[in-house]
Amino acid sequence: MKTDNVTYCTFSGWVDPPRDLQPALTGEQDCQVVVIGGGINGMSTALRLAERGQDVVLLEAEFCGHGSSSRNAGQLAGAPGGDLQLLNLLSRKKMPGMMRLAEHAARHVEEFIAKHDIDCEYEATGNAFAAVSRGQMGRVRRVAKIVTRAGGHVQVGTSAELGIPRGFVGGMREVIGGRMNPGKFTLGMRRVLLGTPSRVFEQTKVTGVRREAGQVVVTTPQGTVRADHVVLATNAFAGEWDITPKHLSVPIYVMEVETEPIDPARIAALGWTSGMGLVTQHAIMENYRLTPRNTIVFGVRRLERGTSYPLPAEKVPDRGIVEELARAFETRFPSLADVAIERAWGGWIAITSSWLPLAGQIGDDIHYSIACNGHGLAQAPYVGTMIADHIVDGVRHADLQTLWQAKPKFPRPMMMGRPGLRTIWAIDRFNDSINGSRRNARRGAAVVQETLQHA
Ligand SMILES: Cc1cc2nc3c(=O)[nH]c(=O)nc-3n(C[C@H](O)[C@H](O)[C@H](O)COP(=O)(O)OP(=O)(O)OC[C@H]3O[C@@H](n4cnc5c(N)ncnc54)[C@H](O)[C@@H]3O)c2cc1C
């Protein structure tokens, strides 16, 4: 695969930044609710609050949609994120609730797109947990049982039965959900928000959140906002203030790349008739999806840990990871090994210690949520909407209750340091090599041994 002419984007490969940037906050403002962060989580919260007649201010450091909301793979998932076997082992009682939440979240986004007529190339194809080996297929079958027992809607089949590329053994189709251009979706949501009476300030980075005289005071370089309630919707950037619960989440940078346009006849020859987005069953997944411009967007495989705040919001994607993604692509799509990667981008996501989305309150006046763990395209807007309703009604929807934290206390996430992440990556490579030749298996074992020595 050619990687010598890649454009390294510091924003997204899906859309250009908006031209109508909103002015920065200057001076003092008062409101009922101030939302910090203008991703799909914060914008949905602000939108719902405005719909419910609340006086809302939204503060966004760059522009609404600058974060992972516009950068993701656009796979609208109808199942929870994370390792479902592990989640089932550790939080079995939560599985039916998580399953309901995931499916309702995907439906919520579909309805939002239809209601506001957002042109984001959405297609309700579903998505597939795709197996790259017989070992992964066994795992897919076990996951399908867990999901079905929890009330989820999935189908297991071979690659031919599911209409996914022949380079995969088979998989599990999540019936609900699909694929979209996430940049167009997010900027579409921004357009809807800007049409409401809520006050949106972009280019306004919040530097502090404190309580004063029965209100919450949010400070920014050129102004302050006093409000009765604050919603922290900054995703991976949540750890920047003292008020944020310790160990709420870990910031992780993940990447996507996009091929050059591919001859439609060559795409047709892959047998990818369903057009479903795919996620492999590695501990750190690979994802692959088609786009309407006859390209394939694919990514992740490696997680880069953010080690200190402030996180670099305009980080340049790593060349080494582009090379690695290219090698993986050649294995999964050997007939396209001559295709070039045209662009690369990435973004910050938040991973929680339980790998579950969560939401809660700090006192009566500060709400937070991390509806992400790599599955926030569906869950972040849904959770944001439910948080808004909770602020207005004081009642928690059953799906919000599923992820609600009684106390804002979180254990330190395990295996999320750089050595831990490298070890997980090495085990994936070892498993890949077992599925190749015996010589590869020896190489894989050497990778694990070397990684453990460095860890
Ligand atoms: C490469 C990649 C691929 C992904 N693929 C998928 C996928 O296929 N499917 C899926 O479901 N999910 C996917 N995700 C995850 C998904 O994109 C996120 O879960 C979701 O977008 C989170 O939305 P958010 O609004 O919480 O966060 P964000 O979109 O990150 O928004 C947070 C906002 O807060 C702002 N902010 C930060 N600090 C401050 C501050 N101090 N003051 C004011 N504003 C601030 C930021 O500028 C940003 O705009 C992917 C993510 C990435 C990066």
Side-chain angles (χ1 to χ4, degrees):
M1 190 163 211
K2 293 180 206 130
T3 56
D4 44 9
N5 215 2
V6 178
T7 302
Y8 288 83
C9 313
T10 53
F11 174 46
S12 168
W14 294 107
V15 279
D16 292 326
R19 296 214 183 125
D20 58 340
L21 282 196
Q22 299 301 296
L25 171 73
T26 53
E28 294 203 355
Q29 300 268 339
D30 284 291
C31 63
Q32 286 171 298
V33 188
V34 57
V35 178
I36 310 176
I40 48 180
N41 183 222
M43 284 196 284
S44 297
T45 311
L47 259 170
R48 180 62 147 217
L49 287 164
E51 262 174 31
R52 307 262 341 242
Q54 297 283 300
D55 180 20
V56 192
V57 167
L58 183 141
L59 303 174
E60 162 56 47
E62 309 285 341
F63 55 81
C64 291
H66 183 267
S68 56
S69 297
S70 299
R71 301 165 185 243
N72 60 66
Q75 293 179 219
L76 186 77
D83 181 332
L84 295 188
Q85 286 191 102
L86 192 64
L87 291 184
N88 186 55
L89 193 70
L90 301 177
S91 321
R92 192 172 177 145
K93 279 196 189 146
K94 283 198 166 180
M95 286 305 293
M98 297 305 303
M99 209 51 238
R100 263 194 311 275
L101 169 73
E103 294 195 349
H104 290 170
R107 289 278 188 239
H108 171 85
V109 169
E110 289 178 338
E111 282 161 21
F112 184 87
I113 292 169
K115 177 176 170 192
H116 296 287
D117 197 18
I118 295 182
D119 171 18
C120 60
E121 300 155 8
Y122 180 67
E123 288 181 71
T125 52
N127 286 288
F129 283 33
V132 302
S133 63
R134 277 188 295 168
Q136 285 201 2
M137 196 59 209
R139 184 183 162 87
V140 163
R141 289 188 204 285
R142 290 192 292 278
V143 169
K145 274 193 193 145
I146 292 169
V147 169
T148 309
R149 206 170 40 223
H153 298 86
V154 293
Q155 293 163 346
V156 176
T158 61
S159 52
E161 285 163 350
L162 293 181
I164 64 175
R166 301 289 141 75
F168 296 85
V169 178
M172 176 189 93
R173 174 177 181 234
E174 300 166 15
V175 176
I176 298 171
R179 63 174 206 215
M180 67 168 85
N181 177 323
K184 287 188 171 182
F185 170 65
T186 300
L187 294 188
M189 186 182 282
R190 177 177 179 274
R191 171 182 56 77
V192 178
L193 176 67
L194 294 183
T196 69
S198 52
R199 286 166 276 165
V200 177
F201 297 97
E202 296 185 321
Q203 310 165 79
T204 302
K205 179 158 180 156
V206 171
T207 49
V209 182
R210 65 173 199 276
R211 292 193 172 94
E212 195 180 280
Q215 283 200 302
V216 187
V217 182
V218 173
T219 47
T220 75
Q222 299 177 71
T224 54
V225 182
R226 285 172 187 278
D228 301 328
H229 295 274
V230 174
V231 181
L232 307 180
T234 55
N235 192 21
F237 301 82
E240 293 192 357
W241 312 293
D242 296 342
I243 196 116
T244 308
K246 223 170 173 195
H247 308 312
L248 175 62
S249 65
V250 168
I252 299 283
Y253 187 82
V254 291
M255 282 172 50
E256 297 291 321
V257 296
E258 181 171 12
T259 66
E260 63 186 338
I262 303 168
D263 179 351
R266 296 183 74 189
I267 293 181
L270 295 171
W272 202 342
T273 50
S274 66
M276 274 188 282
L278 313 173
V279 291
T280 65
Q281 291 303 290
H282 295 93
I284 303 174
M285 69 171 186
E286 294 162 22
N287 70 278
Y288 298 91
R289 58 153 294 184
L290 290 165
T291 77
R293 44 200 191 206
N294 289 325
T295 63
I296 298 177
V297 167
F298 61 105
V300 190
R301 194 170 153 112
R302 242 184 216 258
L303 307 178
E304 289 179 82
R305 168 77 196 256
T307 46
S308 60
Y309 295 105
L311 296 171
E314 308 255 318
K315 180 172 155 52
V316 179
D318 183 284
R319 277 173 198 271
I321 298 181
V322 171
E323 299 288 342
E324 185 176 336
L325 288 169
R327 284 196 296 278
F329 184 92
E330 285 171 10
T331 313
R332 314 285 172 239
F333 301 90
S335 65
L336 300 179
D338 60 319
V339 167
I341 293 182
E342 209 164 76
R343 59 180 75 83
W345 67 90
W348 292 100
I349 60 172
I351 303 284
T352 60
S353 53
S354 61
W355 284 78
L356 292 170
L358 50 87
Q361 268 177 275
I362 309 161
D364 288 338
D365 44 9
I366 300 178
H367 279 72
Y368 61 87
S369 72
I370 298 284
C372 179
N373 294 301
H375 270 51
L377 182 56
Q379 296 183 10
Y382 186 49
V383 172
T385 304
M386 291 190 293
I387 284 190
D389 285 341
H390 182 234
I391 290 173
V392 179
D393 301 327
V395 178
R396 283 194 286 278
H397 187 287
D399 288 338
L400 185 60
Q401 186 62 37
T402 295
L403 47 90
W404 194 258
Q405 302 295 302
K407 287 187 185 148
K409 288 212 181 327
F410 304 96
R412 188 185 286 274
M414 303 272 284
M415 296 296 283
M416 281 292 149
R418 283 185 174 165
L421 293 178
R422 191 163 159 80
T423 305
I424 298 172
W425 169 85
I427 291 169
D428 275 341
R429 298 299 71 79
F430 177 64
N431 287 333
D432 277 349
S433 62
I434 287 180
N435 297 309
S437 67
R438 194 174 274 196
R439 196 164 132 247
N440 278 345
R442 277 200 298 274
R443 271 198 209 134
V447 170
V448 175
Q449 202 171 26
E450 187 199 330
T451 303
L452 291 175
Q453 272 162 9
H454 281 95

